[in-house]
């Protein structure tokens, strides 16, 4: 076993605390080559696709990647902005907002970084940089409110795999989920109410979550249950009756049965049933991305209107809205309790002096630095 080289560090250095916000990932550009590279990494993850490796290699490399890469690149091109990928832009802004919000709460010298599970900046790359920057405590905060082995579980895998080749591992903490966190539900409620204040209320609110294969539910994945709880809490916060909203699942991939009801056919059926206006929100995504901006706001919109629907509203993700950044700070703060990030000036000075004394003792015992 060969371990990574440890960064040089002086004795007596005061260790820092860090938070890394981890999102799914995005291609570097809306091109066939970049999308193929991204999809290959994403769809090669056994957490994402539970098919025997040899069989899946054939399907992925000889069928999916040659055809899907170009199609997906065209879709990415429809949402790409002058700043790049919307998911990357929003996640960057969320990390910056989180750092500022925690600073306002008195958390000093706290590093907040952003990483992607697939694509760049990669999670191993960011974790290595945090170590070089003196982080001795790291909180991993997934951008997934609802836990699933296909998403949050995969982040855990990547973190553990990275530290499997690290000699000096920092203290690690993980946020597992926040699907029922008060701040998250409040932020969703405020987002919907703000939209309704400007545009009026719909006949039906559709809460669309990213889908996963149904077999994952049967095998014990809690994702489906956590999505339904989020929906129930949001509906209660909005004072909706069961007839006023519906929970659906989007982004089905392959021929296997996924969690139902599926978003696109459900919305199309609502139009055929005479529902004139629907509003769609995607509570499982905290950042707008291909699945929300292209699939929901373009493809599903078309399905609704093509089947007779008159008015279709997409309610954007939480992105970097103040209510969500405040909630994100609450979530992070609850998981860094006990870390020395909120120290009075006298406590910080005492910590510095203690570190200096420790360094002097180490040098007296023969330490090089």
């Amino acid at each position: 076993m060969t371990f990574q080289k440890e960064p040089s560090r002086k004795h007596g250095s005061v260790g820092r605390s860090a938070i890394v916000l981890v999102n799914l990932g995005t291609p570097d550009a809306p091109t066939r080559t970049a999308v193929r590279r991204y999809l290959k990494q994403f769809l090669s993850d056994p957490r994402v696709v539970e098919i025997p490796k040899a069989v899946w290699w054939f399907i992925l490399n000889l069928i999916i990647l040659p055809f899907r890469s170009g199609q997906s690149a065209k879709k990415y091109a429809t949402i790409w902005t002058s700043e790049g990928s919307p998911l990357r832009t929003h996640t960057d802004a969320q990390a910056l907002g989180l750092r500022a919000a925690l600073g306002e709460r008195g958390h000093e010298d706290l590093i907040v970084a952003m990483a992607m599970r697939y694509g760049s900046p990669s999670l191993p790359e960011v974790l290595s940089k945090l170590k070089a920057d003196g982080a001795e405590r790291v909180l991993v905060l997934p951008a997934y409110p609802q836990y699933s082995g296909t998403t949050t579980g995969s982040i855990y895998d990547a973190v553990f795999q990275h530290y499997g080749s690290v000699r000096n591992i920092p203290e690690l903490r993980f946020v597992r989920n926040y699907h029922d966190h008060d701040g998250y539900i409040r932020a969703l409620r405020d987002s919907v109410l703000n939209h309704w204040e400007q545009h009026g209320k719909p006949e039906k609110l559709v809460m669309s979550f990213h889908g996963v294969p149904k077999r994952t539910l049967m095998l014990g994945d809690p994702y489906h249950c956590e999505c339904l709880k989020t929906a129930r809490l949001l509906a209660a916060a909005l004072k909706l009756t069961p007839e006023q909203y519906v929970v659906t699942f989007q982004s089905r991939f392959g021929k296997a049965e996924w969690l139902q009801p599926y978003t696109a056919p459900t919305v199309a059926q609502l139009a055929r049933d005479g529902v004139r206006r629907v509003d769609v929100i995607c509570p499982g995504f905290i950042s707008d991305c291909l699945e929300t901006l292209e699939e929901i706001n373009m493809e599903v919109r078309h399905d609704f209107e093509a089947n007779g629907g008159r008015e279709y509203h997409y309610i954007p993700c939480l992105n970097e809205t103040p209510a969500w950044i405040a909630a994100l700070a609450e979530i992070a703060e609850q998981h860094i309790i006990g870390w020395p990030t909120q120290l009075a000036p006298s406590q910080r000075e005492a910590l510095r002096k203690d570190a200096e004394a420790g360094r002097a003792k180490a040098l007296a015992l023969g330490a090089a630095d």
Side-chain angles (χ1 to χ4, degrees):
M1 178 68 183
T2 301
F3 293 98
Q4 299 177 25
K5 182 180 179 180
E6 290 291 324
S8 58
R9 186 109 188 273
K10 291 183 177 181
H11 282 83
S13 299
V14 177
R16 305 176 70 188
S17 301
I19 299 171
V20 53
L21 178 65
V22 189
N23 215 325
L24 180 77
T26 177
D28 294 324
T31 63
R32 184 187 187 95
T33 300
V35 171
R36 182 187 179 105
R37 183 169 59 248
Y38 167 73
L39 286 178
K40 184 170 186 178
Q41 183 186 12
F42 173 45
L43 295 176
S44 295
D45 187 342
R47 286 277 191 178
V48 175
V49 181
E50 295 184 56
I51 294 178
K53 190 172 182 179
V55 175
W56 181 241
W57 186 95
F58 177 85
I59 297 173
L60 177 62
N61 289 279
L62 301 184
I63 300 176
I64 293 177
L65 292 179
F67 297 99
R68 190 177 177 92
S69 298
Q71 297 170 357
S72 293
K74 291 178 181 178
K75 292 183 177 183
Y76 273 107
T78 65
I79 67 163
W80 217 259
T81 71
S82 59
E83 297 177 327
S85 163
L87 182 139
R88 171 69 184 266
T89 302
H90 288 306
T91 309
D92 272 330
Q94 288 167 351
L96 290 172
L98 177 58
R99 176 68 188 92
L102 289 171
E104 292 174 359
R105 291 167 178 257
H107 296 278
E108 299 182 10
D109 200 30
L110 179 63
I111 307 170
V112 179
M114 178 276 287
M116 296 295 177
R117 175 61 184 91
Y118 315 103
S120 61
S122 72
L123 188 51
E125 171 191 348
V126 172
L127 293 175
S128 294
K129 187 176 187 307
L130 291 177
K131 188 177 185 65
D133 290 341
E136 294 183 354
R137 296 165 292 272
V138 177
L139 171 67
V140 178
L141 174 50
Y144 312 124
Q146 298 79 23
Y147 174 92
S148 173
T150 62
T151 53
T152 308
S154 179
I155 288 176
Y156 288 9
D157 287 346
V159 172
F160 297 142
Q161 182 179 12
H162 169 75
Y163 285 117
S165 61
V166 173
R167 190 179 303 278
N168 186 12
I169 300 174
E171 178 183 346
L172 294 172
R173 294 184 185 178
F174 296 85
V175 177
R176 186 178 188 274
N177 54 21
Y178 40 92
H179 65 290
D180 56 357
H181 189 277
D182 288 344
Y184 163 64
I185 299 299
R186 284 197 306 270
L188 289 173
R189 178 203 63 194
D190 291 351
S191 176
V192 175
L193 291 179
N194 288 338
H195 186 85
W196 288 352
E197 184 177 352
Q198 297 179 49
H199 305 284
K201 294 183 66 174
E203 295 168 66
K204 187 82 73 170
L205 176 65
V206 178
M207 302 183 196
S208 179
F209 293 84
H210 198 289
V212 294
K214 183 179 178 181
R215 70 184 296 272
T216 63
L217 170 62
M218 300 297 101
L219 293 173
D221 194 297
Y223 177 73
H224 180 257
C225 299
E226 294 191 2
C227 289
L228 294 185
K229 186 172 184 181
T230 294
R232 175 172 58 81
L233 292 174
L234 177 56
L238 293 169
K239 297 180 172 58
L240 298 179
T241 65
E243 294 75 27
Q244 292 177 303
Y245 74 98
V246 61
V247 179
T248 63
F249 296 89
Q250 65 182 89
S251 308
R252 180 186 174 194
F253 178 75
K255 296 182 179 180
E257 181 180 0
W258 281 40
L259 297 180
Q260 295 196 42
Y262 301 136
T263 300
T266 298
V267 170
Q269 186 60 50
L270 288 173
R272 289 193 293 269
D273 291 342
V275 175
R276 292 172 297 178
R277 172 180 164 179
V278 297
D279 286 8
V280 184
I281 187 172
C282 300
F285 299 86
I286 65 169
S287 301
D288 272 312
C289 55
L290 183 72
E291 288 79 3
T292 64
L293 297 174
E294 195 279 334
E295 181 181 358
I296 295 298
N297 199 29
M298 295 182 189
E299 292 183 18
V300 177
R301 176 188 295 274
H302 175 268
D303 292 340
F304 181 71
E305 294 174 347
N307 284 277
R310 295 184 182 180
E311 196 173 347
Y312 181 99
H313 289 244
Y314 167 62
I315 301 175
C317 290
L318 295 174
N319 296 322
E320 52 275 11
T321 55
W324 171 234
I325 296 300
L328 198 58
E330 289 179 21
I331 294 166
E333 192 172 47
Q334 290 167 2
H335 287 78
I336 60 174
I337 291 175
W339 285 358
T341 59
Q342 283 182 308
L343 299 178
S346 59
Q347 292 174 309
R348 194 166 296 280
E349 179 62 18
L351 188 64
R352 185 188 64 79
K353 288 183 177 180
D354 184 62
E356 287 182 353
R359 181 170 188 271
K361 292 179 180 178
L363 293 177
L365 291 172
D369 196 359

